[in-house]
Amino acid sequence: MSKLRDSQYLAYIDRHREFVREEAAVLGIVGRGSEHDVSKLRPDEFDAYAEYFYGGHERGKVPPDVQEAFDYA
């Protein structure tokens, strides 16, 4: 686990959820926008996604165990 990796992914989630909330408000589905991607904060998904996207792996060279955890999440 890397604090930098985790903080980078958390910043991405925060930015993404803000965009989703804004669009949900425009569409009149505020509740759904607030719930969107909440599962990405659960440890099983958070760790797998953070490692996959911010783990420092070369594009196309993700280790099999990281790929498997990402696919499962």
Side-chain angles (χ1 to χ4, degrees), residues 1 4 18 23-25 30 39 42 49-50 53 58 60:
M1 181 188 310
L4 177 60
E18 182 60 33
E23 276 306 304
V30 175
S39 66
R42 291 192 335 234
Y49 276 63
F53 290 113
E58 286 186 49

Side-chain angles (χ1 to χ4, degrees), residues 28-73:
I29 54 172
V30 175
R32 289 183 66 190
S34 296
E35 296 170 2
H36 181 76
D37 284 338
V38 124
S39 66
K40 301 243 182 324
L41 298 173
R42 291 192 335 234
D44 57 330
E45 285 193 33
F46 185 93
D47 292 339
Y49 276 63
E51 183 61 29
Y52 185 86
F53 290 113
Y54 297 98
H57 312 291
E58 286 186 49
R59 188 175 209 91
K61 295 186 179 183
V62 176
D65 61 322
V66 173
Q67 184 67 55
E68 184 178 337
F70 175 78
D71 292 344
Y72 182 77

